[in-house]
Structure formats: structure tokens, C-alpha cells
Amino acid sequence: MPFRCYKCGKCCTTLGRSITIEELTPTEIRGKSVITGEKIHTPRTTDLDDAFADRAVFNQYPDACPFLRQESETTWICLAYTAMPSHCKTLECYVMLILHPDGSVAGKIRTKRTLSTEDPSLKELYDTILADIPAKEDVVWHKEARKVLISKGYKVKM
């Protein structure tokens, strides 16, 4: 499936460990994927320089990708979107991260309320309770699902 960005910023809040800025030249910002070694070349413009100078994202997410910036209250942007490395293009978007009590990943709720997990207990919980939550709006469903998951001992990040 082709990459589709929902501009939620969730996937990029921890990518600072895998993408680095190598050089700022007068004409471009050069970065590199630590994972694949791919080079990232983004042309410099006044708008990009202004956005790049805004470091507020790192107050809340110190490990965020150096190209991630918040555009509005609910929208995040990638300053290197057209030049992003392949590992960014293969990320799978999720709206809810479900963790075991020890912090390890138990599963993810993706768009359209679908569960991605290899945890049989979480799968059973989803099939018997979460999938049947009667909510038309996703935001209501997510809130109710979060309550159930926490009551069963999971941690939830949204």
C-alpha cells in the first residue's frame, strides 16, 4: 500500500534517533537516515528556514525527527516530505498505541478502528469487547476503547 500521511505526527515523534541533520548550506538542508544511509536533500527557502528555526516541537518530544514541525493544534508537517527516506515511507500510521504494563508494544489501533497485534489476549479483548463499542464517531470510540484497555492493565498512548 502506498504511503499516506495523516499529518498526526505520531510516527515522527521518536525518529530523531534515526534521522540526523548533517549540514546546512546556503541552498539546502542535508540530512541522513541512520537506518538506511539514504541522504536527505531539502532545498532551503525563507519559509523552510523559518519553520526549521522553530524548535518548540523538541520541548514536548526531545527525540522527534529534526524535520518534524507542528503546523496547527492537530496537524504536523515534515519539512523534508518530498525527500523522506524509505523507512519513513514504510511506516504504518496508527491512532492509538497499546502497551503492556512493562512498556513493550502490545498492539496498535489504526485508522478505521482496526487492530494490529500479535498478542492473543489483546486480540481476544478486541474481538469480544472493543469491536462492539457502539460509537459512531471515532473520537468517542477511541475514548471508550482507552477506558477498557486501561481497566485491563494496558497503557495507552494516543
Side-chain angles (χ1 to χ4, degrees):
M1 178 185 324
F3 175 77
R4 176 166 180 207
C5 181
Y6 293 94
K7 296 187 175 187
C8 68
K10 286 182 176 71
C11 59
C12 303
T13 58
T14 59
L15 285 176
R17 296 176 293 241
S18 63
I19 296 178
T20 60
I21 300 296
E22 294 192 315
E23 184 178 11
L24 298 172
T25 74
T27 58
E28 69 182 353
I29 298 171
R30 296 179 186 165
K32 179 181 177 182
S33 166
V34 175
I35 295 171
T36 64
E38 292 170 84
K39 302 289 183 182
I40 303 164
H41 298 276
T42 302
R44 285 182 78 166
T45 63
T46 302
D47 289 344
L48 181 62
D49 278 350
D50 290 346
F52 202 72
D54 179 4
R55 310 285 295 163
V57 66
F58 303 105
N59 294 333
Q60 185 175 1
Y61 301 104
D63 292 328
C65 173
F67 290 102
L68 179 67
R69 294 299 181 276
Q70 192 163 8
E71 186 175 57
S72 72
E73 188 176 321
T74 59
T75 305
W76 296 76
I77 58 170
C78 173
L79 300 179
Y81 186 81
T82 58
M84 73 172 65
S86 60
H87 70 88
C88 293
K89 293 175 184 175
T90 59
L91 287 171
E92 295 182 36
C93 191
Y94 64 90
V95 294
M96 184 184 298
L97 181 64
I98 305 164
L99 305 170
H100 291 289
D102 67 2
S104 62
V105 175
K108 298 174 183 177
I109 299 289
R110 302 190 187 291
T111 57
K112 301 189 191 259
R113 304 179 192 174
T114 56
L115 174 70
S116 173
T117 187
E118 294 185 17
D119 181 315
S121 299
L122 180 57
K123 172 100 172 81
E124 181 180 347
L125 178 63
Y126 181 85
D127 291 342
T128 59
I129 298 175
L130 299 177
D132 294 329
I133 293 174
K136 290 183 180 183
E137 294 181 20
D138 284 341
V139 69
V140 175
W141 187 90
H142 295 142
K143 184 178 178 181
E144 294 303 313
R146 184 177 187 276
K147 286 181 192 174
V148 170
L149 289 161
I150 290 171
S151 76
K152 299 296 184 182
Y154 292 99
K155 296 177 184 177
V156 178
K157 291 187 178 184
M158 298 176 77

